[in-house]
Coordinates of all heavy atoms in Angstrom, one line a residue:
D26 N 0.8 -1.2 0.0 CA 0.0 0.0 0.0 C 0.9 1.3 0.0 O 0.6 2.2 -0.7 CB -0.9 0.0 1.2 CG -1.9 1.2 1.2 OD1 -2.4 1.5 0.1 OD2 -2.1 1.8 2.3
S27 N 2.0 1.2 0.8 CA 2.9 2.4 0.8 C 3.5 2.6 -0.5 O 3.8 3.7 -0.9 CB 3.9 2.2 1.9 OG 4.8 1.2 1.6
S28 N 3.8 1.5 -1.3 CA 4.4 1.7 -2.6 C 3.4 2.3 -3.6 O 3.8 3.1 -4.5 CB 4.8 0.3 -3.2 OG 5.8 -0.3 -2.3
A29 N 2.1 1.9 -3.4 CA 1.1 2.5 -4.3 C 0.7 3.9 -4.0 O 0.2 4.6 -4.8 CB -0.2 1.6 -4.2
H30 N 1.0 4.3 -2.7 CA 0.7 5.7 -2.3 C 1.9 6.3 -1.6 O 2.0 6.3 -0.4 CB -0.5 5.6 -1.3 CG -1.7 5.0 -1.8 ND1 -1.9 3.6 -1.7 CD2 -2.8 5.4 -2.5 CE1 -3.1 3.3 -2.3 NE2 -3.6 4.4 -2.8
P31 N 2.9 6.8 -2.4 CA 4.2 7.2 -1.9 C 4.1 8.2 -0.8 O 5.0 8.3 0.1 CB 4.9 7.7 -3.1 CG 4.2 7.0 -4.3 CD 2.8 6.9 -3.9
V32 N 3.0 9.1 -0.8 CA 3.0 10.1 0.2 C 2.9 9.5 1.6 O 3.4 10.2 2.6 CB 1.7 11.0 0.0 CG1 0.4 10.2 0.2 CG2 1.7 12.2 0.9
T33 N 2.4 8.3 1.8 CA 2.3 7.7 3.1 C 3.7 7.3 3.6 O 3.9 7.0 4.8 CB 1.4 6.5 3.1 OG1 1.9 5.5 2.2 CG2 0.0 7.0 2.7
S34 N 4.7 7.2 2.7 CA 6.0 6.7 3.1 C 7.0 7.8 3.0 O 8.2 7.5 3.0 CB 6.4 5.5 2.3 OG 6.5 5.9 0.9
S35 N 6.6 9.1 3.0 CA 7.5 10.2 2.9 C 8.1 10.4 4.3 O 7.6 9.9 5.3 CB 6.8 11.4 2.5 OG 5.8 11.8 3.4
P36 N 9.2 11.2 4.4 CA 9.8 11.5 5.8 C 8.8 12.1 6.7 O 8.9 11.9 7.9 CB 10.9 12.5 5.4 CG 11.3 12.1 4.0 CD 10.0 11.7 3.3
R37 N 7.9 12.9 6.2 CA 6.9 13.5 7.1 C 5.8 12.5 7.5 O 5.1 12.7 8.5 CB 6.2 14.7 6.4 CG 7.2 15.9 6.1 CD 6.5 17.1 5.5 NE 5.4 17.5 6.4 CZ 4.6 18.5 6.0 NH1 4.6 19.0 4.8 NH2 3.6 18.9 6.8
H38 N 5.6 11.5 6.7 CA 4.5 10.5 6.9 C 5.1 9.1 6.8 O 4.8 8.4 5.9 CB 3.3 10.7 6.0 CG 2.8 12.1 6.0 ND1 1.9 12.5 7.0 CD2 2.9 13.1 5.2 CE1 1.5 13.7 6.8 NE2 2.1 14.2 5.7
P39 N 6.0 8.7 7.7 CA 6.6 7.4 7.5 C 5.6 6.3 7.7 O 4.6 6.4 8.4 CB 7.7 7.4 8.7 CG 7.1 8.3 9.7 CD 6.4 9.4 8.9
V40 N 5.9 5.2 7.1 CA 5.0 4.0 7.2 C 5.4 3.2 8.5 O 6.5 2.9 8.7 CB 5.1 3.0 6.0 CG1 4.3 1.8 6.2 CG2 4.7 3.8 4.7
T41 N 4.4 2.9 9.3 CA 4.6 2.2 10.5 C 4.0 0.8 10.3 O 2.8 0.7 10.2 CB 4.0 2.9 11.7 OG1 4.6 4.2 11.8 CG2 4.3 2.1 13.0
L42 N 4.9 -0.2 10.3 CA 4.4 -1.6 10.2 C 3.8 -2.0 11.5 O 4.4 -1.8 12.6 CB 5.5 -2.5 9.8 CG 6.2 -2.2 8.5 CD1 7.3 -3.3 8.2 CD2 5.2 -2.2 7.4
S43 N 2.6 -2.5 11.5 CA 1.9 -2.9 12.7 C 1.3 -4.2 12.7 O 1.1 -4.8 11.6 CB 0.8 -1.8 13.0 OG -0.1 -1.8 11.9
F44 N 1.0 -4.8 13.8 CA 0.3 -6.1 13.9 C -1.2 -5.8 13.6 O -1.8 -4.8 13.9 CB 0.4 -6.7 15.3 CG 1.8 -7.0 15.7 CD1 2.2 -6.9 17.0 CD2 2.7 -7.4 14.8 CE1 3.5 -7.2 17.4 CE2 4.0 -7.7 15.1 CZ 4.4 -7.6 16.4
P45 N -1.9 -6.8 13.0 CA -3.3 -6.7 12.9 C -4.0 -6.7 14.3 O -3.7 -7.6 15.1 CB -3.7 -7.9 12.0 CG -2.6 -8.9 12.3 CD -1.4 -8.1 12.5
Q46 N -4.8 -5.8 14.5 CA -5.5 -5.7 15.8 C -6.9 -6.1 15.9 O -7.4 -6.6 16.9 CB -5.4 -4.2 16.3 CG -3.9 -3.7 16.5 CD -3.9 -2.3 17.0 OE1 -4.9 -1.5 16.9 NE2 -2.7 -1.9 17.5
S47 N -7.6 -5.9 14.7 CA -9.0 -6.4 14.6 C -9.1 -7.4 13.5 O -8.8 -7.0 12.3 CB -9.9 -5.2 14.4 OG -11.3 -5.6 14.3
I48 N -9.5 -8.6 13.8 CA -9.5 -9.7 12.8 C -10.9 -10.3 12.7 O -11.5 -10.5 13.7 CB -8.4 -10.7 13.1 CG1 -7.0 -10.2 13.1 CG2 -8.6 -11.9 12.2 CD1 -5.9 -11.1 13.4
A49 N -11.3 -10.5 11.5 CA -12.6 -11.2 11.3 C -12.3 -12.6 10.7 O -11.5 -12.7 9.8 CB -13.5 -10.4 10.4
I50 N -13.0 -13.6 11.2 CA -12.9 -14.9 10.6 C -14.2 -15.1 9.8 O -15.3 -15.1 10.4 CB -12.8 -16.0 11.6 CG1 -11.5 -15.8 12.5 CG2 -12.7 -17.4 10.9 CD1 -11.4 -16.8 13.6
I51 N -14.1 -15.2 8.5 CA -15.3 -15.4 7.6 C -15.4 -16.8 7.2 O -14.4 -17.4 6.6 CB -15.1 -14.5 6.3 CG1 -15.1 -13.0 6.7 CG2 -16.3 -14.7 5.4 CD1 -16.3 -12.5 7.4
Y52 N -16.5 -17.4 7.5 CA -16.7 -18.9 7.3 C -18.2 -19.2 7.0 O -19.0 -18.3 7.3 CB -16.1 -19.7 8.4 CG -16.9 -19.5 9.7 CD1 -17.8 -20.5 10.2 CD2 -16.8 -18.4 10.5 CE1 -18.5 -20.4 11.3 CE2 -17.6 -18.2 11.7 CZ -18.4 -19.2 12.1 OH -19.2 -19.1 13.2
P53 N -18.5 -20.4 6.5 CA -19.9 -20.7 6.3 C -20.6 -21.0 7.6 O -20.5 -22.1 8.1 CB -19.8 -22.0 5.4 CG -18.5 -22.5 5.6 CD -17.6 -21.4 6.0
T54 N -21.2 -20.1 8.2 CA -21.8 -20.2 9.5 C -22.9 -21.2 9.6 O -23.3 -21.5 10.7 CB -22.3 -18.8 10.0 OG1 -23.2 -18.3 9.0 CG2 -21.1 -17.8 10.1
D55 N -23.4 -21.7 8.5 CA -24.5 -22.7 8.6 C -24.0 -24.1 8.5 O -24.8 -25.0 8.6 CB -25.5 -22.5 7.4 CG -24.8 -22.5 6.0 OD1 -23.6 -22.2 6.0 OD2 -25.4 -22.9 5.0
L56 N -22.7 -24.3 8.5 CA -22.1 -25.6 8.4 C -21.2 -25.8 9.7 O -20.4 -25.0 10.0 CB -21.2 -25.8 7.2 CG -21.9 -25.7 5.8 CD1 -20.9 -25.8 4.7 CD2 -23.0 -26.7 5.7

């Protein structure tokens, strides 16, 4: 994403790699 949007990786807006904090598990809930 930072490569596609260089402004987010500029010195003024560095990219911060982070852990996923909110995760959804999508599955067939009827099975």
Side-chain angles (χ1 to χ4, degrees):
D26 185 42
S27 69
S28 299
H30 304 87
V32 67
T33 62
S34 59
S35 68
R37 293 182 59 187
H38 303 280
V40 175
T41 301
L42 299 182
S43 61
F44 297 146
Q46 298 178 344
S47 179
I48 296 178
I50 304 176
I51 298 298
Y52 68 104
T54 53
D55 56 333
L56 299 178

